[in-house]
Amino acid sequence: MSYNPIELMACVASRLLRDARSVFVGTGLPMVAAVLAQRLHAPDLLIVFEAGGIGPQVPTVPISVGDSRTFHRAVMATSMDYVMSIAQLGFVEYGFLGAAQIDPYGNLNTTVIGPHERPRVRLPGSGGANDVGSLCWRTIILMRHERRRFVESLDFLTTPGYLTGPGARERVGLPADTGPYRVITQLAVLGFDEETKRMKLLSLHPGVSMEEVMENTGFELIIPEEVSTTQPPTEEELRLLRGEIDPAGIVIGRAS
Amino acid sequence: MSYNPIELMACVASRLLRDARSVFVGTGLPMVAAVLAQRLHAPDLLIVFEAGGIGPQVPTVPISVGDSRTFHRAVMATSMDYVMSIAQLGFVEYGFLGAAQIDPYGNLNTTVIGPHERPRVRLPGSGGANDVGSLCWRTIILMRHERRRFVESLDFLTTPGYLTGPGARERVGLPADTGPYRVITQLAVLGFDEETKRMKLLSLHPGVSMEEVMENTGFELIIPEEVSTTQPPTEEELRLLRGEIDPAGIVIGRAS
Amino acid sequence: MLYEGEGELLGWMDPDEARRWMARKPLELIDKRMPLSEAITRFARDGDYFALGGFGHVRVSMAAIYEMIRQRRRRMAIAAKTAVHDVDVLIASGVVDRVDCAYAFGHELRGLSPAGRRAVEGGRVRVVAEISNAGFQWRFKAAAMGLPWLPTRVMLGTDTLRRSSARVVEDPFTGRPICLIPACYPDFAVIHVHRCDKYGNAQIDGITIEDVELARAAKRLIITTEEIIPGEEIRRHPDRTAIPYFLVDAVCEVRYGCHPGNMPGLYYFDEEHIAEWLRMSRTDEGVEEYLDRYVYSVEGFEEYIQLIGGKEKMEYLRRLEMLQAELRAP
Amino acid sequence: MLYEGEGELLGWMDPDEARRWMARKPLELIDKRMPLSEAITRFARDGDYFALGGFGHVRVSMAAIYEMIRQRRRRMAIAAKTAVHDVDVLIASGVVDRVDCAYAFGHELRGLSPAGRRAVEGGRVRVVAEISNAGFQWRFKAAAMGLPWLPTRVMLGTDTLRRSSARVVEDPFTGRPICLIPACYPDFAVIHVHRCDKYGNAQIDGITIEDVELARAAKRLIITTEEIIPGEEIRRHPDRTAIPYFLVDAVCEVRYGCHPGNMPGLYYFDEEHIAEWLRMSRTDEGVEEYLDRYVYSVEGFEEYIQLIGGKEKMEYLRRLEMLQAELRAP
């Protein structure tokens, strides 16, 4: 069964989410991945929205992180203070992030391209990204794999990854034992080396070559001896995605 | 019309409360004084309870600062955090306090008589008193005038008055321009000298002599040239107190 | 640092340690209903430092307290936020030997607590730290926010500060002293609520006092509830949820669970019973008699409710609450 | 102090100064109803630093924004907590020239904002400070608590911190660095609510986002409301009050006041209208055309609602909200 890269990314992301854990989701792909996980293997995955919705039963994909779908038949509809506080207290395991730029340590830029005073491109800024990247136990980054996005040095460090390497997060006062967990792109799944905290290739998506990944990465990637191939979406996953979770194709696009 | 000392204290306290201001009340006498003020000259006096009740229309005198009467038909039933926060933000003008001991600067003890480790008398502790004494603009102290209670030096400084004198509150970090405003006893009304911040006699209750006050005060009181006589309760005040506000005499006692 | 309080610091955890603890709480929607006796056996341990929801005699889980006494817990320390009957019977029965004190040993308008005072003045019970009411709830708030402390402008310049566990620093924004109140994570808390579902999603009517914060601060959380409602009801009004299920370890249905206290909207204080306790607790013998009659010799809370006057009494207290009856002040 | 952010510190007041301001707010129960145009004239001034309640396109008082544009306010600075359509039209119309930024220049899923980006990239508008979403609401929380700042564990180690107005100190309890976020007291705020009484006691259905805090932080507060209800209704359910009257300076009844945004329970996003703006705002000429059509040439919000499709359109958006209609995504 054919699928598009967005569908594959949604499936890979959803498989990372363990049951009976909690996840901060934004709109779009993260939301789709979280609902897919709930339908398939993580019925007790607790979905948390930064604007105050906790544990909703979303009827349709929300358009905004604060819209009424984010607390539809929820366990609790509360405040950003409440949600960010429980995240700071360690209750939120996973967080999804996107970015315009990423560096080898998983630090992210969503603020500016070019100088801050007079940017070439002004992006939205942190939003909740810095909070998610600071407070969740493990963040999962979803972004396009392009050379101009995977850079050695960010134009602006909006959201902390591993900063300058091992121990750096703890040294600046961020919560212990937290940090980026996976980077999922249209080409591959990447993780971070235990020792150096630098980005490491984990699996190539079907049909993607190692060269293609390296060409699209602007820094030196750690390549382990064994690189597996990403499991393609199952029929069940695709059926749910297209038939139930995002039938209008708002996020995953129209069938490829 | 005859009256008892508690009734007089309630009337004096109520007259201090200006309309369209806010007051932190406890149970008992403060509550009665605040409701009397609302009925007579301060219909828009905003009553605030530390446990979360704001602007109630109390049907009967509450027994506890947190009981259901404290938010009966209230403007808001919220949390202690909310109420204490708005007090810290300057929204609460008056606060009522009682104490086992008071010193010349209006500092109060409600914690222990004797050493802290092994007290001769263990009292309840601060409760909300320290908060009221720290955060309200003006506190009004209601207590019995006795030599063992009006002391040069407290066994324990639970709640700040003017501490050691002018500027002391500001120096330790308490909010500026705050502090004790009046002390109302069964004998007299007292205030604080602008310059020294020491306690000063303002008026003697009808039939009370200067000597009686001095005998019952364990420190040197500032006696101004003119000491007035406290206005006795009016018939209207007594009618409201006995007939409507505390008909069972829970606070004011049975008719004297 | 400008100043450091001498009070014993109970319940504090490094925020990283607190995060590790909270991350272990199960997030499954599992049925947590159990008898109160089981909840106390499993989650309230000898030596624990604990806190009770509510305020004074209002919405305090007396049922849990009587059960702790019945199970003869010992060497416990209580967060006496605004503790009255609760701390009084817990001290008198020998459960509590340390008090972390904002307000205790008094019954508000009703006067001082003979039993509690006797214990402190006699040295059987120690007050390990003083704090104010606002200070205590901000200790829970700091914990609820995953912070090591919160700044505040109370307590400064007093012996309350000296006997507290707070610290004073120079504020880097104003240049003036500011008081830092340490977070407080009790080993367990019991919060009595109006209704919750079997997972622990709870609603509270009226003021929430400091329970929204305490629920997040507690390392283990027992909910006692007047009523268990379907989860559907919770999801119909998610903005009414005061405590979400994932904070909760046990759900115990105990009707009238805060008697002789006031459960807003449901029943008012039982002044007769409180007066009986205040009278009996004037002597150690009276305390024993009270505990024998109302705690040790009964199976559980339902039997206790029978003893204090049963349905008829509770109906009177309901009418009192609804302003349909006159208060019979003893 | 370990570190000091370089961002411009807007909206901060010394807590003593803030107390003096708040103490002047009138506590009378007075009728504060007035036309929105009057409220904006009286309480929203050229040069002010302001914040809007809600989040993104959700429960934001668009009516107040259009009125500010109509009254041609200038040189304003916005607290862009999570600003989308609001900041976009305010920048495009020349009202706002400084942005205190957590999130702006984007329309969430819908992409970036052409007008807002053009203004920043062209130098017409300056971003004076960066912060995170949690950080911004904690700035309001600090103000709401009467504190100079609140500690937090976000922003540390990043350029977001460097461009913020936060400071880092060594935590006297843990010995590790901790980030202090300065309080924020906007000159005024506008919060759109489901219902309130004529005094300003307001209820919000669903998530409150950061409005319970912002309401206390704002030096002047305008409430726009879908509906005005009797004070009796407020007093019947005091635990539903999100904003008490004494924080409020003006009450303006504006039905559909957050169109084209989502008012939870009442109406969903008007994606057609948002798309129209995003399309037209690609050029300065398009912006002028949009503002002429929907803002300058109309008397007020009721006329605007007629223009965007009137009762029929709002009925469709209501059905969309109630899941009774299909989203016509443009």
Side-chain angles (χ1 to χ4, degrees), chain B residues 89-90 137, chain D residues 13-23 143 146 185:
Chain B
L89 185 49
W137 291 94
Chain D
M13 274 199 286
D14 183 284
D16 281 340
E17 196 190 325
R19 284 176 58 89
R20 284 187 201 104
W21 179 279
M22 297 304 172
Y185 299 90

Side-chain angles (χ1 to χ4, degrees), chain C residues 159-174:
Chain C
D159 289 333
T160 307
L161 174 69
R162 187 168 56 84
R163 288 288 179 173
S164 80
S165 52
R167 297 178 187 178
V168 179
V169 297
E170 188 186 291
D171 179 335
F173 280 85
T174 69

Side-chain angles (χ1 to χ4, degrees), chain A residues 27-29 50-53 59-72 76-81 84-85 88 111-112 116-128 130-131 134-135 154-160 163 170-176 250-251, chain D residues 55-58 81-82 101-106 108-110 112 117 120-123 127 130-135 137-138 141 151-160 162-163 168 176-178 205-210 213 262 264-265 268-269 271 320-323 327 329:
Chain A
T27 46
L29 201 45
E50 65 184 73
T60 59
V61 181
I63 297 177
S64 161
V65 183
D67 84 32
S68 45
R69 275 63 168 137
T70 64
F71 53 92
H72 182 79
M76 190 174 195
T78 178
S79 63
M80 194 186 287
D81 174 40
M84 289 299 185
S85 290
Q88 196 160 248
T111 303
V112 282
H116 186 264
E117 268 80 15
R118 191 66 180 267
R120 207 157 62 249
V121 183
R122 174 68 216 197
L123 301 163
S126 161
N130 182 294
D131 310 315
S134 297
L135 303 177
L154 303 173
D155 288 30
F156 192 95
L157 200 171
T158 310
T159 296
L163 298 173
E170 286 77 6
R171 275 195 303 278
V172 299
L174 288 169
I250 294 173
V251 175
Chain D
F55 180 99
H57 287 88
V58 181
K81 316 167 320 77
T82 299
C101 184
Y103 182 100
F105 321 111
E108 296 190 74
L109 258 192
R110 303 172 192 90
L112 292 173
R117 279 185 54 192
V120 175
E121 293 162 13
V127 175
E130 306 280 343
I131 194 169
S132 70
N133 277 358
Q137 56 90 23
W138 279 323
K141 180 105 195 159
T152 175
R153 307 187 75 191
V154 301
M155 300 219 290
L156 291 152
T158 64
D159 290 332
T160 306
R162 185 166 59 82
R163 288 287 179 174
V168 178
R176 296 195 301 275
I178 192 159
D205 295 345
I207 54 174
T208 53
I209 312 165
E210 53 213 82
E213 291 77 23
N262 167 217
Y268 203 56
F269 301 111
E271 289 300 327
L320 207 50
E321 174 67 8
M322 307 316 275
L323 303 166
L327 182 66

Side-chain angles (χ1 to χ4, degrees), chain C residues 142-157:
Chain C
M145 294 179 76
L147 294 171
W149 41 266
L150 273 177
T152 175
R153 306 188 74 191
V154 300
M155 300 220 289
L156 292 152

Side-chain angles (χ1 to χ4, degrees), chain C residues 2 37 99 156 163-164 186 224 229 296 316:
Chain C
L2 301 175
S37 56
V99 177
L156 292 152
R163 288 288 179 173
S164 80
T224 60
I229 59 169
Y296 295 131
Y316 161 68

Side-chain angles (χ1 to χ4, degrees), chain A residues 232-251:
Chain A
T234 65
E235 283 192 29
E236 176 72 353
E237 285 170 334
L238 290 175
R239 191 187 58 73
L240 280 168
L241 279 179
R242 296 170 186 175
E244 294 182 21
I245 298 170
D246 188 20
I250 294 173
V251 175

